Amino acid sequence: MNLYLGIDLGTTGARSTIIDSQGTIHCETEYTFANDRQSELPSVWQNALSAVIEQIPATIRNRVRAIALDGTSSTVMLCDTDGIPVCEPILYNDARGAAVTETLRAIAPDNHTVLSATSSLAKLLWWQEGGHGGTAPTVFLHQADWLAFLLHGKLGISDYHNALKLGFDVDTLCYPDWLIEGIAGATTPKLPQVVAPGTPVGEVRDEVRSRFGFPRDCTVCAGTTDSIAAFLASGVNSPGEAVTSLGSTLAVKLLSHTRVDDSRYGIYSHKLGDLWLVGGASNTGGAVLRHFFTDAELATYSTKINPEQESLLDYYPLLKKGDRFPINDPNLAPRLEPRPADSVEFLHGLLESIARIEARGYQLLQELGATPLTKVYTAGGGAKNSVWSAIRQRYLKVAVETPVQTAAAYGTALLAMRSAMDLRLED
């Protein structure tokens, strides 16, 4: 029996899922990062990649025919021509790109997706203006691109989900002239070649195959972003249905007949077959909750909240200034006051405030022309909190459900499986 491996690199760790052609799970593994110092992240990611693969039984690994990976959107890095990182990566929510706002606006068309302090292009320009890549040739990669390179050995391949916030044009399937001309210079990194998510890139390297026992014809496919992988896992395929990922941050994705892009609000659209995946990502979410409460406290206090009763506390829960969606403002200040003495009341206010941000996000998408919302599925750790789901349903005014599968690693496993199936049909 052929099997397919999906690997998800999140903000706190890595996960893997292996499925067969029917979508049945045969194995799941997990690894939590032991170190989050930014300068050491490449080695942390590499160790996590190895760890989640090593945990898979050898009898399962030797039947894996295709592998796909996802990473956090707009987490980027500069490497030398051997694929070795030359400086610390810049993470998805890092807003240092605000320093190059004027340069960015001079290059990009009005209202373009890249016009954000956290976009991949903003980070590239920040590196260029600061000379952080040095003078030797460099290659610009996303997190998922680099991790896939460690498996297949072909440096400089990306997918158009990860490359969207770099400025790649999914209509023409090429980099636009304004981008190429705008970043041109003596120290310009080489941009990755962009292919469709799930495109077979190459077989696993000999040393990878020998170490882990993958079959000789095991293929590594182009990946995707973590939130799109979670969307794929949900099985949603009807326009109007959406997935909210409630992980460390909050990401919303609405399947739409219509494309919507509006940088004023951090809204962008990913191509998904003949449809569009319209959405945005906010810095609010589970990381804020975990800052104030342990997992046990979250579970206990939630049961004491009446989800039908509105909290009068009006917060904008952030750990540091700046948000991307539905308010795209790198200087937006967190609002976490007043804090009541009662922890249950405080948690209620946080959950309700995050629900308001989510609802405002979906409202904006529809105001700007996306297909009307009919149902929301929830992925991520927040999907387990039934009280929070009830609060969210009150604001969203549509059914809120948890799909059978919610893990991003399951979504990338589906991507790998479909890629292998398509390849077999072509053969």
Side-chain angles (χ1 to χ4, degrees):
M1 179 188 294
N2 291 334
L3 299 175
Y4 310 94
L5 170 59
I7 299 174
D8 163 52
L9 263 289
T11 55
T12 59
R15 297 164 183 81
S16 84
T17 300
I18 291 185
I19 63 173
D20 60 25
S21 59
Q22 303 303 311
T24 302
I25 295 174
H26 286 250
C27 180
E28 293 178 296
T29 68
E30 186 171 350
Y31 177 84
T32 301
F33 297 153
N35 182 356
D36 61 358
R37 283 188 292 193
Q38 200 152 331
S39 60
E40 299 178 21
L41 280 180
S43 62
V44 171
W45 296 339
Q46 188 169 2
N47 291 338
L49 177 62
S50 297
V52 292
I53 295 175
E54 285 172 342
Q55 291 175 46
I56 300 167
T59 53
I60 291 181
R61 289 201 301 260
N62 63 24
R63 290 185 285 154
V64 171
R65 298 295 171 180
I67 304 171
L69 303 94
D70 72 75
T72 48
S73 177
S74 289
T75 292
V76 297
M77 54 205 303
L78 284 181
C79 298
D80 64 18
T81 52
D82 292 321
I84 299 172
V86 298
C87 55
E88 66 181 33
I90 303 180
L91 298 180
Y92 63 97
N93 59 350
D94 191 310
R96 71 183 72 183
V100 296
T101 297
E102 290 186 13
T103 305
L104 194 59
R105 292 194 178 280
I107 292 173
D110 291 343
N111 212 27
H112 196 280
T113 302
V114 299
L115 294 172
S116 165
T118 59
S119 74
S120 299
L121 182 55
K123 291 161 184 169
L124 171 57
L125 291 173
W126 184 86
W127 265 321
Q128 279 192 287
E129 293 198 0
H132 294 276
T135 57
T138 55
V139 182
F140 182 87
L141 296 173
H142 303 88
Q143 180 188 36
D145 309 340
W146 185 70
L147 291 164
F149 155 73
L150 296 179
L151 297 181
H152 58 58
K154 296 185 177 181
L155 187 65
I157 308 291
S158 188
D159 64 90
Y160 58 58
H161 289 162
N162 272 293
L164 183 76
K165 295 178 186 177
L166 179 57
F168 185 80
D169 190 331
V170 293
D171 285 326
T172 62
L173 296 179
C174 64
Y175 290 108
D177 290 342
W178 62 260
L179 172 59
I180 301 300
E181 294 167 4
I183 65 172
T187 60
T188 301
K190 180 180 179 181
L191 300 182
Q193 174 190 347
V194 180
V195 298
T199 300
V201 175
E203 294 179 354
V204 293
R205 298 158 58 196
D206 288 342
E207 54 266 47
V208 173
R209 186 175 66 248
S210 298
R211 177 181 177 185
F212 297 115
F214 289 125
R216 184 167 295 277
D217 60 352
C218 180
T219 301
V220 183
C221 311
T224 184
T225 66
D226 56 345
S227 60
I228 293 184
F231 187 94
L232 296 175
S234 73
V236 169
N237 56 22
S238 299
E241 294 184 340
V243 172
T244 296
S245 295
L246 289 174
S248 297
T249 58
L250 181 151
V252 305
K253 295 278 188 292
L254 170 63
L255 196 60
S256 174
H257 290 291
T258 310
R259 179 179 182 175
V260 179
D261 295 288
D262 198 319
S263 66
R264 294 174 301 170
Y265 306 110
I267 295 170
Y268 51 91
S269 294
H270 283 285
K271 186 175 178 63
L272 201 67
D274 296 328
L275 299 171
W276 295 95
L277 205 48
V278 184
S282 170
N283 291 337
T284 194
V288 180
L289 300 179
R290 280 206 170 104
H291 179 75
F292 294 105
F293 303 101
T294 65
D295 287 349
E297 287 171 335
L298 285 171
T300 300
Y301 296 156
S302 292
T303 61
K304 300 178 181 179
I305 294 171
N306 178 359
E308 300 307 318
Q309 180 178 332
E310 183 177 358
S311 170
L312 299 180
L313 295 169
D314 184 17
Y315 299 142
Y316 204 104
L318 299 170
L319 290 180
K320 59 182 180 180
K321 72 175 184 178
D323 201 9
R324 302 169 283 164
F325 165 86
I327 300 174
N328 187 10
D329 179 0
N331 296 308
L332 183 69
R335 192 167 67 247
L336 294 163
E337 299 289 340
R339 178 172 178 174
D342 184 349
S343 294
V344 173
E345 187 180 347
F346 181 48
L347 176 60
H348 189 181
L350 291 174
L351 295 178
E352 190 119 0
S353 296
I354 296 172
R356 289 191 197 105
I357 293 171
E358 178 190 5
R360 177 54 184 154
Y362 281 119
Q363 181 184 352
L364 262 177
L365 300 185
Q366 293 165 97
E367 288 175 358
L368 294 170
T371 299
L373 184 69
T374 59
K375 183 183 291 186
V376 174
Y377 291 93
T378 312
K384 301 172 185 176
N385 191 318
S386 59
V387 171
W388 199 4
S389 294
I391 292 171
R392 293 170 49 234
Q393 183 164 308
R394 174 157 49 82
Y395 279 95
L396 293 167
K397 295 179 172 55
V398 297
V400 174
E401 299 182 8
T402 301
V404 175
Q405 303 295 341
T406 62
Y410 186 89
T412 51
L414 286 175
L415 193 64
M417 183 264 284
R418 291 166 184 166
S419 171
M421 294 295 187
D422 290 344
L423 195 60
R424 191 183 304 170
L425 288 174
E426 290 175 5
D427 291 344

